[in-house]
Amino acid sequence: QVQLEESGGGLVPPGGSLRLSCKASGVSFDSYSFNSYTMGWFRQAPGKDREFVAVIKGNGGATYHADSVKGRFTMTRNNAERTGYLQMNSLEAEDTAIYYCAAGRRLITSSLRFPSAYDYWGRGTQVTVSS
């Protein structure tokens, strides 16, 4: 069974930082090189649609970040640990949401920002930015 497990969420004041982790496990990540998977982060605030935050491609690791987080958030990955990370700095109240990790293979660049392009999802971790 394929699993993605997020961790690292919590309550932080405006201007603070958090580091989210997404650990991959299961048959698919054992049978194929984890390096070939594209990993993405999305978030969903109450009453809003799930939105793209950041993505890192496999086999080279090109990254893309949403304009709303560019310069504040950075996505990285450690293939040996089968883990993706999202470093979030200068957090704002508008960043409050449930953050979801996603993974997929053979994604084309034009599809990276769309949740429907991904095959696997974690259950999410809550990030709350409040004083």
Side-chain angles (χ1 to χ4, degrees):
Q1 186 174 359
V2 172
Q3 286 187 326
L4 296 175
E5 184 173 5
E6 303 95 338
S7 61
L11 173 64
V12 62
S17 298
L18 283 174
R19 188 194 195 203
L20 304 184
S21 299
C22 174
K23 176 73 174 180
S25 62
V27 173
S28 288
F29 294 118
D30 289 336
S31 301
Y32 298 94
S33 171
F34 174 75
N35 185 44
S36 68
Y37 280 86
T38 291
M39 295 192 74
W41 285 98
F42 292 77
R43 66 187 181 185
Q44 189 165 18
K48 294 188 176 182
D49 293 333
R50 191 168 298 190
E51 66 170 354
F52 168 77
V53 175
V55 63
I56 186 166
K57 297 187 72 174
N59 298 319
T63 59
Y64 304 91
H65 296 79
D67 289 343
S68 59
V69 306
K70 203 170 291 183
R72 301 187 297 122
F73 292 10
T74 303
M75 185 170 184
T76 58
R77 65 190 291 161
N78 184 320
N79 291 327
E81 296 182 355
R82 292 183 293 176
T83 302
Y85 301 97
L86 184 68
Q87 178 65 43
M88 305 187 296
N89 299 326
S90 302
L91 282 161
E92 304 168 353
E94 292 74 20
D95 297 316
T96 295
I98 299 174
Y99 283 70
Y100 296 91
C101 173
R105 297 180 68 230
R106 294 183 291 272
L107 273 69
I108 59 176
T109 301
S110 61
S111 70
L112 295 176
R113 298 171 183 265
F114 297 98
S116 60
Y118 293 79
D119 301 312
Y120 307 112
W121 289 85
R123 294 188 174 186
T125 185
Q126 176 71 47
V127 171
T128 302
V129 184
S130 175
S131 55

mmCIF file of all heavy atoms in Angstrom, residues 44-61:
data_model
loop_
_atom_site.group_PDB
_atom_site.id
_atom_site.type_symbol
_atom_site.label_atom_id
_atom_site.label_comp_id
_atom_site.label_asym_id
_atom_site.label_seq_id
_atom_site.Cartn_x
_atom_site.Cartn_y
_atom_site.Cartn_z
ATOM 1 N N GLN A 44 -5.132 23.806 1.468
ATOM 2 C CA GLN A 44 -6.559 24.081 1.381
ATOM 3 C C GLN A 44 -7.011 24.773 2.658
ATOM 4 O O GLN A 44 -6.917 24.200 3.751
ATOM 5 C CB GLN A 44 -7.361 22.800 1.150
ATOM 6 C CG GLN A 44 -8.818 23.032 0.835
ATOM 7 C CD GLN A 44 -9.483 21.796 0.257
ATOM 8 O OE1 GLN A 44 -8.994 20.676 0.375
ATOM 9 N NE2 GLN A 44 -10.619 21.989 -0.392
ATOM 10 N N ALA A 45 -7.488 25.998 2.500
ATOM 11 C CA ALA A 45 -8.044 26.755 3.615
ATOM 12 C C ALA A 45 -9.548 26.509 3.673
ATOM 13 O O ALA A 45 -10.158 26.135 2.668
ATOM 14 C CB ALA A 45 -7.750 28.240 3.430
ATOM 15 N N PRO A 46 -10.167 26.733 4.836
ATOM 16 C CA PRO A 46 -11.615 26.500 4.956
ATOM 17 C C PRO A 46 -12.399 27.286 3.913
ATOM 18 O O PRO A 46 -12.193 28.490 3.734
ATOM 19 C CB PRO A 46 -11.920 26.991 6.373
ATOM 20 C CG PRO A 46 -10.650 26.816 7.114
ATOM 21 C CD PRO A 46 -9.561 27.124 6.119
ATOM 22 N N GLY A 47 -13.295 26.587 3.216
ATOM 23 C CA GLY A 47 -14.145 27.238 2.233
ATOM 24 C C GLY A 47 -13.483 27.552 0.917
ATOM 25 O O GLY A 47 -14.089 28.191 0.044
ATOM 26 N N LYS A 48 -12.243 27.107 0.737
ATOM 27 C CA LYS A 48 -11.522 27.392 -0.508
ATOM 28 C C LYS A 48 -11.109 26.111 -1.197
ATOM 29 O O LYS A 48 -11.065 25.044 -0.587
ATOM 30 C CB LYS A 48 -10.287 28.250 -0.215
ATOM 31 C CG LYS A 48 -10.620 29.649 0.296
ATOM 32 C CD LYS A 48 -9.369 30.493 0.384
ATOM 33 C CE LYS A 48 -9.704 31.922 0.811
ATOM 34 N NZ LYS A 48 -8.483 32.773 0.866
ATOM 35 N N ASP A 49 -10.782 26.224 -2.482
ATOM 36 C CA ASP A 49 -10.298 25.081 -3.240
ATOM 37 C C ASP A 49 -8.860 24.761 -2.851
ATOM 38 O O ASP A 49 -8.127 25.615 -2.349
ATOM 39 C CB ASP A 49 -10.365 25.366 -4.739
ATOM 40 C CG ASP A 49 -11.786 25.489 -5.253
ATOM 41 O OD1 ASP A 49 -12.686 24.886 -4.641
ATOM 42 O OD2 ASP A 49 -11.980 26.171 -6.279
ATOM 43 N N ARG A 50 -8.468 23.535 -3.120
ATOM 44 C CA ARG A 50 -7.079 23.142 -2.898
ATOM 45 C C ARG A 50 -6.211 23.873 -3.923
ATOM 46 O O ARG A 50 -6.512 23.880 -5.116
ATOM 47 C CB ARG A 50 -6.939 21.640 -3.034
ATOM 48 C CG ARG A 50 -5.611 21.089 -2.575
ATOM 49 C CD ARG A 50 -5.651 19.569 -2.456
ATOM 50 N NE ARG A 50 -6.627 19.136 -1.451
ATOM 51 C CZ ARG A 50 -6.732 17.880 -1.011
ATOM 52 N NH1 ARG A 50 -5.911 16.952 -1.471
ATOM 53 N NH2 ARG A 50 -7.639 17.570 -0.113
ATOM 54 N N GLU A 51 -5.134 24.476 -3.430
ATOM 55 C CA GLU A 51 -4.303 25.265 -4.329
ATOM 56 C C GLU A 51 -2.854 24.796 -4.304
ATOM 57 O O GLU A 51 -2.343 24.316 -3.290
ATOM 58 C CB GLU A 51 -4.360 26.759 -3.965
ATOM 59 C CG GLU A 51 -3.761 27.124 -2.639
ATOM 60 C CD GLU A 51 -3.636 28.631 -2.438
ATOM 61 O OE1 GLU A 51 -3.919 29.400 -3.385
ATOM 62 O OE2 GLU A 51 -3.232 29.036 -1.334
ATOM 63 N N PHE A 52 -2.199 24.988 -5.427
ATOM 64 C CA PHE A 52 -0.796 24.625 -5.596
ATOM 65 C C PHE A 52 0.096 25.517 -4.750
ATOM 66 O O PHE A 52 -0.119 26.728 -4.670
ATOM 67 C CB PHE A 52 -0.435 24.758 -7.071
ATOM 68 C CG PHE A 52 1.034 24.703 -7.355
ATOM 69 C CD1 PHE A 52 1.715 23.498 -7.348
ATOM 70 C CD2 PHE A 52 1.732 25.866 -7.642
ATOM 71 C CE1 PHE A 52 3.069 23.450 -7.625
ATOM 72 C CE2 PHE A 52 3.089 25.833 -7.915
ATOM 73 C CZ PHE A 52 3.751 24.623 -7.909
ATOM 74 N N VAL A 53 1.110 24.902 -4.131
ATOM 75 C CA VAL A 53 2.095 25.651 -3.356
ATOM 76 C C VAL A 53 3.484 25.524 -3.986
ATOM 77 O O VAL A 53 4.129 26.523 -4.281
ATOM 78 C CB VAL A 53 2.130 25.155 -1.897
ATOM 79 C CG1 VAL A 53 3.249 25.869 -1.125
ATOM 80 C CG2 VAL A 53 0.792 25.356 -1.217
ATOM 81 N N ALA A 54 3.928 24.283 -4.170
ATOM 82 C CA ALA A 54 5.279 24.069 -4.701
ATOM 83 C C ALA A 54 5.385 22.656 -5.235
ATOM 84 O O ALA A 54 4.614 21.775 -4.870
ATOM 85 C CB ALA A 54 6.333 24.299 -3.614
ATOM 86 N N VAL A 55 6.351 22.445 -6.116
ATOM 87 C CA VAL A 55 6.577 21.125 -6.686
ATOM 88 C C VAL A 55 8.053 20.964 -6.982
ATOM 89 O O VAL A 55 8.757 21.929 -7.287
ATOM 90 C CB VAL A 55 5.735 20.922 -7.970
ATOM 91 C CG1 VAL A 55 6.142 21.906 -9.050
ATOM 92 C CG2 VAL A 55 5.859 19.495 -8.485
ATOM 93 N N ILE A 56 8.520 19.722 -6.848
ATOM 94 C CA ILE A 56 9.891 19.399 -7.226
ATOM 95 C C ILE A 56 9.843 18.142 -8.080
ATOM 96 O O ILE A 56 9.277 17.123 -7.687
ATOM 97 C CB ILE A 56 10.809 19.241 -5.997
ATOM 98 C CG1 ILE A 56 12.258 19.043 -6.422
ATOM 99 C CG2 ILE A 56 10.335 18.138 -5.077
ATOM 100 C CD1 ILE A 56 13.246 19.229 -5.278
ATOM 101 N N LYS A 57 10.415 18.223 -9.265
ATOM 102 C CA LYS A 57 10.353 17.105 -10.195
ATOM 103 C C LYS A 57 11.405 16.071 -9.838
ATOM 104 O O LYS A 57 12.423 16.363 -9.199
ATOM 105 C CB LYS A 57 10.559 17.603 -11.621
ATOM 106 C CG LYS A 57 9.465 18.557 -12.089
ATOM 107 C CD LYS A 57 9.608 18.902 -13.546
ATOM 108 C CE LYS A 57 9.244 17.734 -14.430
ATOM 109 N NZ LYS A 57 9.240 18.086 -15.869
ATOM 110 N N GLY A 58 11.166 14.837 -10.263
ATOM 111 C CA GLY A 58 12.170 13.813 -10.110
ATOM 112 C C GLY A 58 13.228 13.926 -11.182
ATOM 113 O O GLY A 58 13.141 14.780 -12.067
ATOM 114 N N ASN A 59 14.239 13.082 -11.085
ATOM 115 C CA ASN A 59 15.281 13.011 -12.112
ATOM 116 C C ASN A 59 15.877 14.368 -12.459
ATOM 117 O O ASN A 59 15.929 14.779 -13.602
ATOM 118 C CB ASN A 59 14.708 12.377 -13.382
ATOM 119 C CG ASN A 59 14.247 10.947 -13.157
ATOM 120 O OD1 ASN A 59 14.904 10.175 -12.467
ATOM 121 N ND2 ASN A 59 13.106 10.616 -13.718
ATOM 122 N N GLY A 60 16.293 15.076 -11.475
ATOM 123 C CA GLY A 60 16.906 16.378 -11.702
ATOM 124 C C GLY A 60 16.431 17.438 -10.740
ATOM 125 O O GLY A 60 17.167 18.374 -10.453
ATOM 126 N N GLY A 61 15.198 17.317 -10.273
ATOM 127 C CA GLY A 61 14.738 18.153 -9.185
ATOM 128 C C GLY A 61 14.446 19.595 -9.497
ATOM 129 O O GLY A 61 14.639 20.450 -8.643
#
